[in-house]
């Protein structure tokens, strides 16, 4: 009896009641004329408020952002690196410090698009290649003067949006600083030399790792955004259709 009522309560709360958006978040109604302009401001405002987490709506802090996906495996041959690679413990700093952001939503196709521009974003992750763990790129900067587009295809199911798929594509990248740590069992002199060479060749390295970066980012963003969409109903987000 006790178990049944617990299950009923869980079902009830997860399927019927949307969590309200935090009162400090701007709301936009899908029927308003300038919806995308409103959405742009709303997303900008919301991201600026993520200097702390908002667990009630499933949103993490972006200061720094710690990926909910702890391990990402990249099969051999996916990039020029012909070993299987494992990326762990992804942390992204300055994720809320964009210089420009546009958001738009097409309610006919349920495609949500974000275009974001950053002076600098810092990616930090453990990178394991051929069984060796490296840490990259940190302490300096990651991508600089960069912009990218994120596209989520959503579907509305039982009053909630779900992410069907997503893509993240770099549009611009003017510089990238790479810093691998723990090279050569911590031999700093040799490690520094390698880092200088890597940074001199950052363009080629970025081209090689671009697909991996993009896939990694779209997976992380989808996982994060899905937790929010699971809590806040479509009508709470954008009003009734
Ligand atoms: C946002 O949209 C404006 C107006 O269309 C455009 O000038 C600007 O470059 C866009 N910014 C980004 C980051 O896409
Ligand atoms: C995402 O899903 C939509 C709807 O199923 C499909 O039209 C689109 O091609 C997919 N996009 C990608 C990048 O897989
Ligand atoms: C980034 O953009 C700023 C402002 O346009 C510029 O001063 C700086 O040199 C750029 N940095 C790189 C690494 O391109």
């Amino acid at each position: 009896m006790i178990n049944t009522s617990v299950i009923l309560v869980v079902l009830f709360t997860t399927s019927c009641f949307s969590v309200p958006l935090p009162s400090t978040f701007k709301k936009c109604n899908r029927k308003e004329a300038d919806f995308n302009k409103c959405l742009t401001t709303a997303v900008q405002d919301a991201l600026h408020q993520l200097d702390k987490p908002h667990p009630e709506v499933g949103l993490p802090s972006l200061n720094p952002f710690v990926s909910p996906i702890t391990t990402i495996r990249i099969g051999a041959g996916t990039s020029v690196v012909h070993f299987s690679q494992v990326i762990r413990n992804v942390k992204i700093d300055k994720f809320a410090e964009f210089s420009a952001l546009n958001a738009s939503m097409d309610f006919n196709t349920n495609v949500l698009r974000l275009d974001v521009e950053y002076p600098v974003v810092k990616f930090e992750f453990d990178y394991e290649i051929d069984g060796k763990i490296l840490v990259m790129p940190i302490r300096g900067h990651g991508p600089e003067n960069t912009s990218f587009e994120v596209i989520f295809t959503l579907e509305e199911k039982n009053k909630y949006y779900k992410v069907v798929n997503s893509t993240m594509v770099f549009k611009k990248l003017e510089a990238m600083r790479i810093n691998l740590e723990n090279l050569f069992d911590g031999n700093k002199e040799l490690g520094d030399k390698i880092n200088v060479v890597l940074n001199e060749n950052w363009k080629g390295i970025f081209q090689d790792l671009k697909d991996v970066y993009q896939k990694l980012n779209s997976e992380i963003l989808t996982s994060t955004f899905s937790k929010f969409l699971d809590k806040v109903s479509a009508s709470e987000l954008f009003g009734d259709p």
Side-chain angles (χ1 to χ4, degrees):
M1 196 56 210
I2 288 169
N3 280 345
T4 319
S5 55
V6 169
I7 289 165
L8 280 179
V9 167
V10 171
L11 283 178
F12 206 62
T13 50
T14 56
S15 67
C16 296
F17 291 119
S18 164
V19 174
L21 277 177
S23 59
T24 52
F25 280 32
K26 187 177 164 68
K27 268 172 113 164
C28 302
N29 191 295
R30 64 181 88 201
K31 286 176 184 150
E32 68 192 85
D34 239 344
F35 175 83
N36 285 336
K37 203 170 159 194
C38 177
L39 183 66
T40 294
T41 315
V43 174
Q44 291 174 348
D45 279 1
L47 293 182
H48 284 142
Q49 291 177 48
L50 294 181
D51 52 341
K52 58 177 183 355
H54 288 261
E56 71 281 14
V57 287
L59 290 173
S61 166
L62 296 184
N63 188 25
F65 169 74
V66 178
S67 164
I69 305 174
T70 53
T71 304
I72 294 154
R73 281 169 207 287
I74 299 148
T78 314
S79 71
V80 285
V81 186
H82 295 287
F83 304 102
S84 69
Q85 304 156 71
V86 180
I87 288 172
R88 288 185 218 277
N89 307 323
V90 180
K91 213 165 98 182
I92 307 175
D93 208 359
K94 304 195 178 289
F95 217 16
E97 295 174 29
F98 49 85
S99 44
L101 182 150
N102 292 337
S104 64
M105 172 88 181
D106 180 332
F107 287 101
N108 293 316
T109 54
N110 280 335
V111 169
L112 170 69
R113 181 184 164 137
L114 300 174
D115 284 282
V116 203
E117 210 172 272
Y118 287 95
V120 65
V121 207
K122 292 188 188 183
F123 286 89
E124 180 178 329
F125 47 84
D126 295 344
Y127 183 65
E128 193 177 304
I129 173 168
D130 199 21
K132 293 197 173 58
I133 296 168
L134 308 169
V135 183
M136 77 177 277
I138 60 163
R139 306 238 191 278
H141 302 281
E144 283 178 47
N145 289 347
T146 188
S147 69
F148 52 81
E149 129 196 314
V150 186
I151 295 177
F152 293 104
T153 303
L154 308 176
E155 68 178 344
E156 205 172 333
K157 229 176 173 178
N158 302 324
K159 301 186 174 9
Y160 286 80
Y161 283 113
K162 303 267 170 243
V163 179
V164 178
N165 61 40
S166 69
T167 57
M168 183 271 189
V169 177
F170 280 99
K171 308 291 259 189
K172 187 179 87 174
L173 183 76
E174 287 183 358
M176 184 164 83
R177 248 177 277 174
I178 302 166
N179 185 20
L180 293 182
E181 293 198 336
N182 303 333
L183 292 170
F184 307 108
D185 296 324
N187 181 329
K188 194 171 167 344
E189 205 174 322
L190 266 180
D192 286 352
K193 280 189 184 142
I194 291 292
N195 278 315
V196 168
V197 173
L198 290 176
N199 280 294
E200 280 169 357
N201 297 288
W202 73 267
K203 274 189 181 156
I205 292 168
F206 176 69
Q207 277 311 316
D208 293 344
L209 289 176
K210 192 172 165 180
D211 289 346
V212 171
Y213 255 108
Q214 291 179 167
K215 186 167 181 297
L216 175 73
N217 281 303
S218 85
E219 278 184 31
I220 291 173
L221 295 175
T222 296
S223 159
T224 305
F225 190 37
S226 294
K227 293 196 174 103
F228 171 73
L229 295 176
D230 284 349
K231 293 202 186 252
V232 185
S233 70
S235 62
E236 171 64 13
L237 278 176
F238 303 134
D240 289 324

